[in-house]
Structure formats: C-alpha cells, structure tokens
Amino acid sequence: MIAFVRPSAPLNRYIQNVPLNYIHLAAYLRERGYAPLILDEIFDDFTAEAVDRIIRNQAIEVVGIGCMTCELPQAVAEAKRLKAAHPHLKIVFGGPHPSGDPEECLRTGVVDYVIVGEGEIALADLLDAIREGRDTVGIPGIWSIVEEKVVAGGRAQVPDIEALPRPAYDLLNLDRYFKLDSPWHFPKSARAVQFITERGCPYQCSYCHDIHTKKFRALSAEAVLDQMEWLVRDHGVREFMIVDDIFNFNLERAKTICRGIVERKLKVHLQFPNGVRGDRFDEELIALMKQAGTHYMAIAIETVVDEISEVGAQELEDRTRPPVADMGTQQ
C-alpha cells in the first residue's frame, strides 16, 4: 500500500547513507500490518521509470517523502512527477521542513497530507483511515487541505520509544550503502550506518528543532546494545554514526552503553557527528567513549558570546567548556 521514496538531493551530501527516517517508520508500519517499500533514488537503478514500474506492479496507493529544507525542491519536484504519472496516489510529506512549515508544503498542490512531528503513529493511523475509507481529519499530526483551506492537525502523538520495534535495516541492502562515499566525518570503516539511541533534548535553545519534543526519551542501554550487536552480527556493521539529539544527557546510561560495547567485544568504531553537549561530560565518560571506539565527536559549545547565550543557548555554563577540551586532549 505504501512506498517511501527518497529523491536525490545534490545540495545535501549527508543523504548518502541509510534513510534513517524511513527504516524507523517502516518498522512500526510492519507491526501495524503493512508491508512498506523503500525506494532510494540515490542509487542509479532507481530511475523514474523503475520507481513508476514498482508503484504500478505493487499497487502502491500512498507515497511518503521526508525532507529537510535543503531537500525540499527535489521532494516537491518528485511529488509533482509522481502525481502526474499516478493521479490516484496520495502523497504524504514529513520530516524537519514539513514539520516546520506544513502549510507551505500543502500549498504546492501536490502534497495531500503533512505529518508534523514524529510520524510512526500518525502515519499508521492515516493509512488505516485511507484503507477503510474514513475521514482523515482529526488524526493528531495530520495536516491537509479541505475545500481550499488548510486543516491543521496539531502535532503527532509521540510514541513510547521503548515500545517501538527495532529499525528495519533489514529492508535495505546495506552492502550498497557501504559502497557509497560516506559524507560523514572520515569513518574508520566503510561498513558504517547512522544510528540513534534516543530522541529529544530537554534544553530550550531557541535555534534548535523540537521535532522530537523537548523531553529526553531514551532506549535502555540494554536495548541499544542489543540493536548494535544485531547489526554487527547479522549485517556486518563496523561503525556507528550516532546522531542522537543529546547522547550524553544521562551520563550513567552513556557510560553503560560504552562499557557494554567493550564487554560484548563488538569491536566497532563510533562517531557523534550530530554533536554531544559540552557540559554533560566527566573524565570517566570520555575515557569510556574512547575505549568503546569513539574516534570523532562534535562538541556542542553552542556559543562563546555571552549575549547570544542569554538569548538562545540556555542553561549552558561557560565554565564547563575548557575542562571538556582538556579532558579530550588527555585521552
């Protein structure tokens, strides 16, 4: 019934890795009885003709497209193309840009629905309504246009991250992604995947997103380690690019994960390109991160200008920044 399509976006070099959003959504949809497909146009064989053929042959009724702002032009162009080739399709947008400006996406005339916030529950509820012929208005997080007026659906219901199934990496041919030129920060291994262990950050920085809410919602350390071990054992993953909102918010949990990587002898590399918070460290955590295989992390100092800190980077104390740098150089 549904296929996720990722258009190629030349301005976003970070697209050259697994579509993390799609494998999380797909895993949940499978639990709700659907058999989603992922069509990734970064690969040359996923041409427009190939995508169209799959949509026809698999009787796809709904296409989901996620995008950041830099991917919006390609997302809209692909939605327009798909609508022209398959007028029956319902096009659903989600992700950072649609969540930030759902009306803009709907006003393109080629987007039927926008999901604001985390998409698992809202998308499954939307598919249920479409399949059963019910009205989609009123589903939390679903925005649409009715009689030329935008119908706001608020934010999507936030899932219990501990109750979600593990991401559907198995829907992808990971070996194909391993052969791509990784856009991340010089991975030690080509067999690298993006990976998250939590969603949401409790800090109130004015310039940061709130797609995952302003609450720290984390998988248990045991669940994180089980997922890592599965990917290492069954899929040959050798590096994890952890793109959490704030991996090191809970120091003891972060330490337990690092210890577990060592104790389970996973022998992997780690990097944290999304940033770790500069005032949530101690010397033990940094030492454990190194032992677990960390070779790169972006430390979010937010700003060194007091006036900006007062306006935007709330609750970050200047005095913590130099010790973090000192701890790192000692390792």
Side-chain angles (χ1 to χ4, degrees):
M1 180 180 186
I2 182 170
F4 296 105
V5 174
R6 179 162 72 164
S8 179
L11 289 179
N12 182 13
R13 63 186 297 268
Y14 290 97
I15 202 172
Q16 290 197 105
N17 203 269
V18 297
L20 203 57
N21 51 345
Y22 294 167
I23 61 176
H24 280 264
L25 293 168
Y28 185 78
L29 291 182
R30 289 197 300 196
E31 281 207 339
R32 292 278 292 261
Y34 294 96
L37 303 177
I38 297 175
L39 310 179
D40 197 337
E41 295 178 356
I42 65 169
F43 296 113
D44 291 339
D45 54 338
F46 277 108
T47 61
E49 294 76 13
V51 170
D52 289 342
R53 184 169 58 252
I54 292 169
I55 288 173
R56 287 193 301 269
N57 292 345
Q58 298 296 323
I60 298 299
E61 300 174 37
V62 179
V63 166
I65 300 176
C67 66
M68 295 189 287
T69 299
C70 60
E71 300 165 321
L72 183 65
Q74 288 75 27
V76 172
E78 180 64 355
K80 183 177 181 180
R81 190 196 70 77
L82 288 169
K83 276 286 193 181
H86 313 277
H88 72 284
L89 281 180
K90 298 297 184 184
I91 304 292
V92 184
F93 269 28
H97 190 94
S99 290
D101 197 345
E103 290 196 37
E104 178 189 14
C105 298
L106 290 168
R107 295 294 186 192
T108 62
V110 294
V111 178
D112 297 287
Y113 303 101
V114 170
I115 297 176
V116 172
E118 297 177 42
E120 284 94 345
I121 296 173
L123 181 56
D125 289 348
L126 175 64
L127 293 181
D128 287 350
I130 292 172
R131 182 176 59 184
E132 296 164 11
R134 293 187 283 107
D135 192 352
T136 60
V137 173
I139 299 174
I142 300 297
W143 292 54
S144 60
I145 289 183
V146 178
E147 296 179 352
E148 299 184 356
K149 294 182 179 180
V150 172
V151 178
R155 292 185 66 92
Q157 183 180 343
V158 177
D160 175 1
I161 190 172
E162 286 274 50
L164 292 175
R166 65 189 181 191
Y169 288 94
D170 56 287
L171 280 182
L172 307 174
N173 181 348
L174 287 179
D175 285 331
R176 300 195 73 186
Y177 290 91
F178 296 152
K179 293 175 183 177
L180 295 174
D181 181 19
S182 175
W184 295 92
H185 300 275
F186 305 105
K188 297 285 187 180
S189 171
R191 303 185 71 82
V193 295
Q194 290 174 298
F195 188 81
I196 68 167
T197 78
E198 61 85 25
R199 298 182 188 181
C201 174
Y203 295 97
Q204 303 296 315
C205 299
S206 62
Y207 46 77
C208 198
H209 75 85
D210 64 352
I211 293 174
H212 298 140
T213 76
K214 290 298 185 180
K215 181 180 180 181
F216 178 75
R217 298 148 48 225
L219 290 170
S220 67
E222 192 72 13
V224 171
L225 292 165
D226 287 346
Q227 280 192 28
M228 285 183 162
E229 189 167 1
W230 165 63
L231 287 167
V232 169
R233 182 189 64 240
D234 292 1
H235 297 282
V237 171
R238 295 293 177 264
E239 179 158 346
F240 292 95
M241 301 175 286
I242 297 176
V243 290
D244 288 354
D245 288 322
I246 182 167
F247 172 79
N248 61 328
F249 177 71
N250 183 327
L251 267 66
E252 290 308 312
R253 172 182 170 274
K255 292 175 185 179
T256 301
I257 291 171
C258 292
R259 289 193 195 98
I261 290 171
V262 175
E263 291 168 359
R264 296 192 187 201
K265 298 181 172 60
L266 298 186
K267 298 179 180 179
V268 294
H269 305 290
L270 303 177
Q271 59 170 283
F272 297 84
N274 211 38
V276 284
R277 192 168 167 96
D279 57 356
R280 301 297 301 168
F281 276 104
D282 60 21
E283 293 186 6
E284 182 185 25
L285 175 57
I286 290 182
L288 286 168
M289 290 175 77
K290 180 181 178 181
Q291 292 172 28
T294 301
H295 67 90
Y296 174 90
M297 57 181 173
I299 298 175
I301 62 171
E302 316 302 344
T303 180
V304 295
V305 179
D306 290 340
E307 290 82 358
I308 296 176
S309 181
E310 290 173 4
V311 172
Q314 299 182 21
E315 304 178 49
L316 187 72
E317 297 185 19
D318 288 350
R319 63 183 176 79
T320 65
R321 294 178 191 138
V324 169
D326 292 342
M327 292 177 206
T329 55
Q330 290 167 11
Q331 293 299 322

CSV table of all heavy atoms in Angstrom, one decimal, residues 251-252 254-256 258-259 280-292 327 330-331:
chain,number,residue,atom,x,y,z
A,251,LEU,N,24.5,10.7,31.9
A,251,LEU,CA,25.9,10.2,31.9
A,251,LEU,C,26.0,8.7,32.2
A,251,LEU,O,26.8,8.0,31.6
A,251,LEU,CB,26.8,11.0,32.9
A,251,LEU,CG,27.5,12.2,32.3
A,251,LEU,CD1,26.5,13.3,31.9
A,251,LEU,CD2,28.5,12.8,33.3
A,252,GLU,N,25.2,8.2,33.2
A,252,GLU,CA,25.4,6.8,33.6
A,252,GLU,C,24.9,5.9,32.5
A,252,GLU,O,25.5,4.8,32.2
A,252,GLU,CB,24.6,6.6,34.9
A,252,GLU,CG,25.2,7.2,36.1
A,252,GLU,CD,26.7,6.9,36.2
A,252,GLU,OE1,27.0,5.7,36.1
A,252,GLU,OE2,27.5,7.8,36.4
A,254,ALA,N,25.0,6.6,29.2
A,254,ALA,CA,26.0,6.7,28.2
A,254,ALA,C,27.2,5.8,28.6
A,254,ALA,O,27.8,5.1,27.7
A,254,ALA,CB,26.5,8.1,28.0
A,255,LYS,N,27.6,5.9,29.8
A,255,LYS,CA,28.7,5.0,30.3
A,255,LYS,C,28.4,3.5,30.2
A,255,LYS,O,29.3,2.7,29.8
A,255,LYS,CB,29.1,5.4,31.7
A,255,LYS,CG,29.7,6.8,31.9
A,255,LYS,CD,29.9,7.1,33.4
A,255,LYS,CE,30.3,8.5,33.6
A,255,LYS,NZ,30.5,8.9,35.0
A,256,THR,N,27.2,3.2,30.5
A,256,THR,CA,26.8,1.8,30.4
A,256,THR,C,26.8,1.3,29.0
A,256,THR,O,27.2,0.1,28.8
A,256,THR,CB,25.4,1.6,31.0
A,256,THR,OG1,25.3,2.0,32.4
A,256,THR,CG2,24.9,0.1,31.0
A,258,CYS,N,28.8,2.4,26.6
A,258,CYS,CA,30.2,2.3,26.2
A,258,CYS,C,30.8,1.0,26.9
A,258,CYS,O,31.6,0.3,26.2
A,258,CYS,CB,31.0,3.5,26.6
A,258,CYS,SG,30.5,5.0,25.7
A,259,ARG,N,30.5,0.8,28.1
A,259,ARG,CA,31.1,-0.4,28.8
A,259,ARG,C,30.6,-1.6,28.1
A,259,ARG,O,31.3,-2.6,27.9
A,259,ARG,CB,30.7,-0.4,30.3
A,259,ARG,CG,31.4,0.6,31.2
A,259,ARG,CD,31.1,0.3,32.6
A,259,ARG,NE,31.4,1.4,33.5
A,259,ARG,CZ,30.6,2.3,34.0
A,259,ARG,NH1,29.3,2.1,33.7
A,259,ARG,NH2,31.0,3.3,34.7
A,280,ARG,N,27.9,18.1,29.6
A,280,ARG,CA,27.5,16.8,30.1
A,280,ARG,C,28.5,15.7,29.9
A,280,ARG,O,28.4,14.7,29.3
A,280,ARG,CB,26.2,16.4,29.4
A,280,ARG,CG,25.0,17.3,29.5
A,280,ARG,CD,24.5,17.5,30.9
A,280,ARG,NE,24.1,16.2,31.5
A,280,ARG,CZ,23.8,16.1,32.8
A,280,ARG,NH1,24.1,17.1,33.6
A,280,ARG,NH2,23.4,14.9,33.2
A,281,PHE,N,29.7,16.0,30.5
A,281,PHE,CA,30.8,15.1,30.5
A,281,PHE,C,31.5,15.0,31.8
A,281,PHE,O,31.5,15.9,32.6
A,281,PHE,CB,31.9,15.6,29.4
A,281,PHE,CG,31.6,15.3,28.0
A,281,PHE,CD1,31.1,16.2,27.1
A,281,PHE,CD2,31.9,14.0,27.6
A,281,PHE,CE1,30.9,15.9,25.8
A,281,PHE,CE2,31.6,13.7,26.2
A,281,PHE,CZ,31.1,14.6,25.4
A,282,ASP,N,32.2,13.9,32.0
A,282,ASP,CA,33.2,13.8,33.0
A,282,ASP,C,34.4,13.0,32.5
A,282,ASP,O,34.2,12.5,31.4
A,282,ASP,CB,32.7,13.3,34.4
A,282,ASP,CG,32.1,11.9,34.3
A,282,ASP,OD1,32.5,11.1,33.3
A,282,ASP,OD2,31.3,11.5,35.1
A,283,GLU,N,35.4,12.9,33.2
A,283,GLU,CA,36.6,12.2,32.7
A,283,GLU,C,36.4,10.7,32.4
A,283,GLU,O,36.9,10.2,31.5
A,283,GLU,CB,37.8,12.4,33.6
A,283,GLU,CG,38.3,13.9,33.7
A,283,GLU,CD,39.5,14.0,34.5
A,283,GLU,OE1,40.1,13.0,34.9
A,283,GLU,OE2,40.0,15.2,34.7
A,284,GLU,N,35.5,10.1,33.3
A,284,GLU,CA,35.2,8.7,33.1
A,284,GLU,C,34.5,8.5,31.8
A,284,GLU,O,34.8,7.5,31.1
A,284,GLU,CB,34.4,8.2,34.3
A,284,GLU,CG,34.1,6.7,34.2
A,284,GLU,CD,33.2,6.2,35.3
A,284,GLU,OE1,32.4,7.0,35.8
A,284,GLU,OE2,33.3,5.0,35.6
A,285,LEU,N,33.5,9.3,31.5
A,285,LEU,CA,32.7,9.1,30.2
A,285,LEU,C,33.7,9.2,29.0
A,285,LEU,O,33.6,8.4,28.1
A,285,LEU,CB,31.6,10.1,30.1
A,285,LEU,CG,30.8,10.1,28.8
A,285,LEU,CD1,30.2,8.7,28.6
A,285,LEU,CD2,29.7,11.1,28.8
A,286,ILE,N,34.5,10.2,29.0
A,286,ILE,CA,35.4,10.4,27.9
A,286,ILE,C,36.3,9.2,27.7
A,286,ILE,O,36.5,8.7,26.6
A,286,ILE,CB,36.2,11.7,28.0
A,286,ILE,CG1,35.2,12.9,27.8
A,286,ILE,CG2,37.3,11.8,26.9
A,286,ILE,CD1,35.9,14.3,27.8
A,287,ALA,N,36.8,8.7,28.8
A,287,ALA,CA,37.7,7.5,28.7
A,287,ALA,C,36.9,6.3,28.2
A,287,ALA,O,37.5,5.6,27.4
A,287,ALA,CB,38.3,7.3,30.1
A,288,LEU,N,35.7,6.1,28.7
A,288,LEU,CA,34.9,5.0,28.2
A,288,LEU,C,34.5,5.1,26.7
A,288,LEU,O,34.5,4.1,26.0
A,288,LEU,CB,33.6,4.9,29.1
A,288,LEU,CG,33.8,4.3,30.5
A,288,LEU,CD1,32.6,4.5,31.3
A,288,LEU,CD2,34.2,2.8,30.4
A,289,MET,N,34.2,6.4,26.3
A,289,MET,CA,33.9,6.6,24.9
A,289,MET,C,35.1,6.2,24.0
A,289,MET,O,35.0,5.6,23.0
A,289,MET,CB,33.5,8.0,24.6
A,289,MET,CG,32.1,8.4,25.2
A,289,MET,SD,31.7,10.1,25.1
A,289,MET,CE,31.2,10.2,23.3
A,290,LYS,N,36.3,6.5,24.5
A,290,LYS,CA,37.5,6.2,23.7
A,290,LYS,C,37.7,4.6,23.7
A,290,LYS,O,37.9,4.0,22.6
A,290,LYS,CB,38.7,6.8,24.3
A,290,LYS,CG,40.0,6.4,23.6
A,290,LYS,CD,41.2,7.1,24.3
A,290,LYS,CE,42.5,6.7,23.5
A,290,LYS,NZ,43.7,7.2,24.2
A,291,GLN,N,37.5,4.0,24.8
A,291,GLN,CA,37.6,2.5,24.9
A,291,GLN,C,36.6,1.8,24.0
A,291,GLN,O,36.9,0.8,23.4
A,291,GLN,CB,37.4,2.0,26.3
A,291,GLN,CG,38.5,2.5,27.3
A,291,GLN,CD,38.2,2.1,28.7
A,291,GLN,OE1,37.5,1.2,29.0
A,291,GLN,NE2,38.7,2.9,29.7
A,292,ALA,N,35.4,2.4,23.9
A,292,ALA,CA,34.3,1.8,23.0
A,292,ALA,C,34.6,2.0,21.6
A,292,ALA,O,33.8,1.4,20.8
A,292,ALA,CB,33.0,2.4,23.4
A,327,MET,N,39.8,17.5,29.0
A,327,MET,CA,39.6,16.0,29.1
A,327,MET,C,39.9,15.3,27.8
A,327,MET,O,40.5,14.2,27.8
A,327,MET,CB,38.2,15.8,29.6
A,327,MET,CG,37.8,16.2,31.0
A,327,MET,SD,36.0,15.9,31.3
A,327,MET,CE,35.7,17.2,32.5
A,330,GLN,N,43.5,14.9,26.9
A,330,GLN,CA,44.2,14.0,27.8
A,330,GLN,C,44.0,12.5,27.3
A,330,GLN,O,44.8,11.7,27.7
A,330,GLN,CB,43.7,14.1,29.2
A,330,GLN,CG,44.2,15.4,29.9
A,330,GLN,CD,43.5,15.7,31.1
A,330,GLN,OE1,42.7,14.9,31.7
A,330,GLN,NE2,43.6,16.9,31.7
A,331,GLN,N,43.0,12.3,26.6
A,331,GLN,CA,42.7,10.9,26.1
A,331,GLN,C,43.4,10.6,24.8
A,331,GLN,O,43.4,9.6,24.3
A,331,GLN,CB,41.2,10.7,25.9
A,331,GLN,CG,40.4,10.7,27.2
A,331,GLN,CD,40.8,9.7,28.2
A,331,GLN,OE1,41.1,8.5,27.8
A,331,GLN,NE2,40.9,10.0,29.5
